[in-house]
Amino acid sequence: MTPAGRLLRTGRRLWAAGGLTIAQLRHHKLRLGLAVLGIVLAVLATTLLAGVGLGVLDTGQAQFDAADRDLWVTAGETRLTAAGGGGFENSLQNSRKVADEMGTHDGVDNTVPMSFETVYVATGPDEDFRTFIATGVSSGGSIVTINEGEDLRGDPHYAGGTYEGEMTHELLLDRETARDLNVSIGDTLNVGGSLAAARENEFTVVGYSPTYERMLGTPTVTIPLSELHQITSNTGTEPATFITVSVDDDADVEAVQADLQEAHPEYEIRTNSEQLEATLQEQVLVLAAAIALVVLAVGAGIALTVALLGLVVYQQRQEFAALKAQGISASTLVVTVIGQGLIIGTLGGVIAVLLTAPMVDVLNRLAALVVGFDGLVQTAEPIYLGGLAIAIGIGTVAAAIAGWRVGRTPVLEHL
Amino acid sequence: MAARSGSRTDDSLTPLARAEGVTRRYRRGSEPGRVGRLFGRSTPPDVTALEDVSLTITQKEIVGLAGPSGSGKSTLLHLLAGLELPSEGTVTFQGTDLGSLSTRKRTRLRLEHVGIVFQHFHLLDSLSARGNVALPLVELGVSKSERRHRATELLERVGLEDRVTHRPGELSGGEQQRVAIARALVTDPTLVIADEPTGELDTETGLTVLEQFERVADDRAVVLASHDQPTLDIADRVVRLCDGRIDEEATVRL
């Protein structure tokens, strides 16, 4: 036979094997539907769990990006605390004084101490109190984004460290928290570090700000720093989680960082990315969980896909054995099986990828409702591509292996 | 039903397939692995399905294999078709020792020279009668139009011209077996083997199928295994097997 004739014959065989693949799939619609459903679930498990892993890392990055600051000053560890659903430990004492000192350095534009405390919040002194994270800021507009309403009127209560200035009794909420508490601009809330303090301190909602809700990934109330210290009885030590530093526009961030570090060796001074890294390094369990989720998700997706396609092929073992007995070659059978794997994998993968975005949305709404975290699950192009790769790539490889085994199995074993 | 007569010519005496001193043993269960051996699991005993059997199939003859269940009829059929190899002895097809061929070459040999009719039909539910009959031609690279033509022609010959596009699930047992017979013949094989071809059919249907089988087999060599006397009646000779050996006394030439 001439090479052209051989090629034509092979082409006809492949075409007919493709036809057999389609016929087998179309005839067993229930089996096809269940196999595709299985792949969809396997890929969704992969993309969604990987999305959770990515969300953990992405939320951390967003926290620091959202603050739009150049340097972060901490004293010791910056651990997330479990109390109240999140927030950092306030291990930097006398934050006002330290911030003022750092503000005098060359290249430093401004310094802002930032404190995150767990507080009790209720819509009235006799209502049920709930815990939220309160963010204390020492100035308003420069670091807080206002969606609606007005900014805080500064921090007059501090009054040069005397804490004798007028308390504004104003706060900002993120929209989610406002909805959750069923309050809007102009309404009042009782806020305090203890139940007693909360019953005594009434604050008015003056605006909506998403800044710290995005940064912490949890519902927050934002109030002037001195008033936060006042209602949490911390005016003596003025603790803060960070002092954030903005450098002059023409200043070299790394040079300013080095100067400040030399002048204040007792503190850790980091850039945005270093701070995120440091925070995450101290969250080994969180990171390990995120990585484990991704690895488990991918592993489970692969295992499910392989098992499913193996089963689909196994169900046809008798038919394939009969074909082989009649002289149909192992290669034709393998092509038929690979075709089935490719079609099932592609259908399952595409459907799963299309469902990923709405499922992420549903999960995020659910997470916001239950635990208060926004953007818990994130998706990205590599996640979609990974899901497709598992469904199509692994599906095809799994089918090929199953087909190869069918081709090698003695004919009479299944007849 | 009368045996095919008057079909023998000189070349009909040429050996087509031959089993010489063939023994086939099977192992009961699997070989122990390393861990199994470590825990003292011994190699399972063998069972002998065929022992020292010699048989020659010549061109154009119909040979019936008779005998009780477990006598080795199916095993001998499988060996002659190259579906498995003997533990001892040789099986040759057109002078070629099947044991010397790779699995791939034996598969090819079956495709080109051997048609198989199973007791349980083994048709693909997803394909029409014509699609099932034409399937072996796919492997030979025959064009679609030629496949359709040959398959339709054979289905007409077995009396299924009005069932060409029906799927196996829409056909009776007798019709399915006729489709299987057409499939076995579509590559124009020199040897057709049939294992209990009427085993799944009632007596009347079985007779109808046999008549058509005999008619469409033309001058091909046919080896069929059966318990059923009417089925064996179409054979030129019947070889009786008992406990894996040929019972020479009972071999009948019709």
Side-chain angles (χ1 to χ4, degrees), chain B residues 155-215:
Chain B
L155 285 168
E156 284 170 1
R157 288 188 67 190
V158 295
L160 293 176
E161 57 277 4
D162 56 343
R163 294 283 190 272
V164 169
T165 56
H166 286 57
R167 291 216 169 96
E170 299 162 339
L171 300 174
S172 68
E175 288 171 331
Q176 288 189 57
Q177 193 58 302
R178 280 187 276 164
V179 173
I181 289 168
R183 181 182 61 186
L185 298 172
V186 77
T187 55
D188 198 17
T190 46
L191 172 67
V192 178
I193 66 165
D195 193 1
E196 301 281 3
T198 57
E200 292 274 298
L201 310 174
D202 60 65
T203 309
E204 194 179 334
T205 309
L207 285 172
T208 309
V209 167
L210 279 173
E211 274 173 16
Q212 278 162 338
F213 184 26
E214 190 184 6
R215 186 160 49 79

Side-chain angles (χ1 to χ4, degrees), chain A residues 12 24 323 325-326 329 332, chain B residues 110 126 135 138-139 141 183:
Chain A
R12 281 177 180 156
Q24 285 288 87
L323 290 175
Q326 291 161 63
S329 65
T332 302
Chain B
R110 279 200 302 279
S126 60
L135 203 53
V138 166
E139 192 66 30
R183 181 182 61 186

Side-chain angles (χ1 to χ4, degrees), chain A residues 184-271:
Chain A
S184 52
I185 294 170
D187 291 342
T188 57
L189 288 171
N190 283 73
V191 183
S194 63
L195 287 172
R199 287 194 182 97
E200 287 171 8
N201 290 287
E202 198 172 75
F203 285 75
T204 304
V205 181
V206 294
Y208 297 138
S209 168
T211 304
Y212 294 103
E213 186 264 348
R214 279 187 195 153
M215 185 174 172
L216 296 178
T218 188
T220 56
V221 297
T222 304
I223 57 182
L225 180 62
S226 60
E227 294 179 39
L228 177 63
H229 282 152
Q230 185 67 55
I231 61 171
T232 55
S233 306
N234 280 322
T235 51
T237 55
E238 297 177 338
T241 310
F242 307 107
I243 293 172
T244 62
V245 179
S246 275
V247 303
D248 291 333
D249 289 343
D250 56 350
D252 177 4
V253 175
E254 286 181 9
V256 175
Q257 179 190 12
D259 281 351
L260 285 174
Q261 190 65 77
E262 193 179 347
H264 300 278
E266 68 275 31
Y267 300 117
E268 301 289 339
I269 299 170
R270 302 183 178 96
T271 60

Side-chain angles (χ1 to χ4, degrees), chain B residues 24-200:
Chain B
R24 183 70 175 105
R25 281 186 286 270
Y26 296 103
R27 188 141 284 169
R28 288 181 202 267
S30 57
E31 291 273 353
R34 281 182 188 171
V35 177
R37 281 199 293 272
L38 198 65
F39 285 96
R41 203 184 137 209
S42 56
T43 302
D46 286 343
V47 58
T48 303
L50 276 182
E51 190 163 5
D52 195 23
V53 167
S54 294
L55 177 69
T56 301
I57 310 296
T58 56
Q59 308 259 9
K60 302 182 180 179
E61 72 168 339
I62 298 180
V63 178
L65 299 180
S69 293
S71 59
K73 302 187 299 291
S74 295
T75 303
L76 186 53
L77 276 186
H78 297 155
L79 289 168
L80 290 170
L83 287 168
E84 57 183 327
L85 294 173
S87 309
E88 286 171 26
T90 56
V91 177
T92 55
F93 189 88
Q94 291 178 331
T96 305
D97 179 4
L98 295 183
S100 68
L101 300 178
S102 65
T103 304
R104 196 168 63 86
K105 283 185 175 167
R106 273 189 286 126
T107 304
R108 189 73 190 178
L109 181 138
R110 279 200 302 279
L111 177 70
E112 292 175 348
H113 299 290
V114 183
I116 302 175
V117 179
F118 301 101
Q119 179 181 353
H120 304 296
F121 324 137
H122 289 310
L123 300 174
L124 284 187
D125 289 339
S126 60
L127 298 181
S128 65
R130 183 168 55 201
N132 268 288
V133 174
L135 203 53
L137 297 176
V138 166
E139 192 66 30
L140 290 170
V142 176
S143 70
K144 188 177 180 183
S145 58
E146 178 63 15
R147 291 201 305 261
R148 288 170 71 94
H149 171 71
R150 280 162 69 173
T152 307
E153 190 182 52
L154 268 166
L155 285 168
E156 284 170 1
R157 288 188 67 190
V158 295
L160 293 176
E161 57 277 4
D162 56 343
R163 294 283 190 272
V164 169
T165 56
H166 286 57
R167 291 216 169 96
E170 299 162 339
L171 300 174
S172 68
E175 288 171 331
Q176 288 189 57
Q177 193 58 302
R178 280 187 276 164
V179 173
I181 289 168
R183 181 182 61 186
L185 298 172
V186 77
T187 55
D188 198 17
T190 46
L191 172 67
V192 178
I193 66 165
D195 193 1
E196 301 281 3
T198 57
E200 292 274 298

Side-chain angles (χ1 to χ4, degrees), chain A residues 20-42:
Chain A
L20 182 58
T21 299
I22 304 279
Q24 285 288 87
L25 291 175
R26 282 181 60 187
H27 186 68
H28 301 283
K29 290 188 182 72
L30 181 64
R31 188 169 71 193
L32 171 67
L34 290 174
V36 169
L37 178 67
I39 301 288
V40 168
L41 293 177

